[in-house]
């Protein structure tokens, strides 16, 4: 299995339940691999407007899954209308300690 880091930017909308989105992707990973780190960075102001939005919720996940599962997640992210932007990065090792962002900004 390979290690990946996923950062999601979710639309800022009162009708979207962030915890449901986190739970949905967590369930996919937990059934087929392992989550090493999951952080909700909360609502953040964007540096510039993206699709007429100036705020988004940020989620960080470090996971360990097989390539077919990451392809499934990638395809799902492309089609999910609640996701503003995303990035998936392959990592050499599992990352489980708090991110630098959490340490610097005291986000829970």
């Amino acid at each position: 299995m390979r290690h990946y880091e996923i950062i999601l930017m979710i639309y800022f909308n009162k009708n979207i339940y962030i915890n449901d989105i986190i739970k949905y992707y967590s369930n996919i990973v937990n059934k087929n691999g392992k989550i090493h780190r999951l952080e909700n960075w909360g609502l953040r102001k964007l540096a510039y407007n993206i699709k007429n939005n100036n705020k988004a919720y940020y989620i960080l996940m470090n996971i360990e899954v097989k390539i077919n599962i990451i392809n499934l997640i990638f395809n799902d992210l492309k089609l999910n209308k609640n996701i503003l932007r995303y990035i998936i990065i392959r990592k050499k090792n599992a990352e489980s300690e708090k991110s630098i962002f959490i340490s610097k900004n005291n986000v829970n």
Side-chain angles (χ1 to χ4, degrees):
M1 287 203 257
R2 296 178 179 175
H3 301 281
Y4 297 94
E5 182 169 274
I6 302 173
I7 299 177
L8 303 175
M9 293 172 57
I10 302 169
Y11 278 103
F12 169 60
N13 186 340
K14 294 177 183 171
N15 297 329
I16 297 172
Y17 297 103
I18 303 304
N19 291 332
D20 291 342
I21 294 172
I22 294 170
K23 191 181 297 184
Y24 174 76
Y25 289 108
S26 296
N27 287 338
I28 292 173
V29 173
N30 285 329
K31 287 180 186 175
N32 302 289
K34 183 177 180 184
I35 297 177
H36 293 285
R37 174 170 58 182
L38 175 62
E39 295 178 355
N40 182 348
W41 291 351
L43 184 63
R44 311 292 301 167
K45 188 172 184 346
L46 302 176
Y48 55 90
N49 284 357
I50 301 173
K51 298 181 183 176
N52 296 325
N53 292 284
N54 63 351
K55 292 182 181 179
Y57 289 98
Y58 283 77
I59 307 297
L60 169 74
M61 295 177 75
N62 285 89
I63 61 174
E64 182 178 352
V65 293
K66 292 183 180 179
I67 188 74
N68 62 331
I69 303 305
I70 204 68
N71 289 335
L72 173 82
I73 292 171
F74 176 74
N75 290 331
D76 191 88
L77 289 171
K78 284 195 301 188
L79 299 174
N80 192 331
K81 294 180 181 178
N82 295 320
I83 305 296
L84 183 62
R85 292 274 160 77
Y86 61 90
I87 187 167
I88 300 173
I89 303 167
R90 184 169 175 206
K91 304 291 274 184
K92 289 185 179 181
N93 299 317
E95 307 240 357
S96 57
E97 65 258 4
K98 287 184 178 181
S99 65
I100 294 172
F101 181 83
I102 294 289
S103 301
K104 284 178 104 175
N105 295 308
N106 295 322
V107 177
N108 293 327

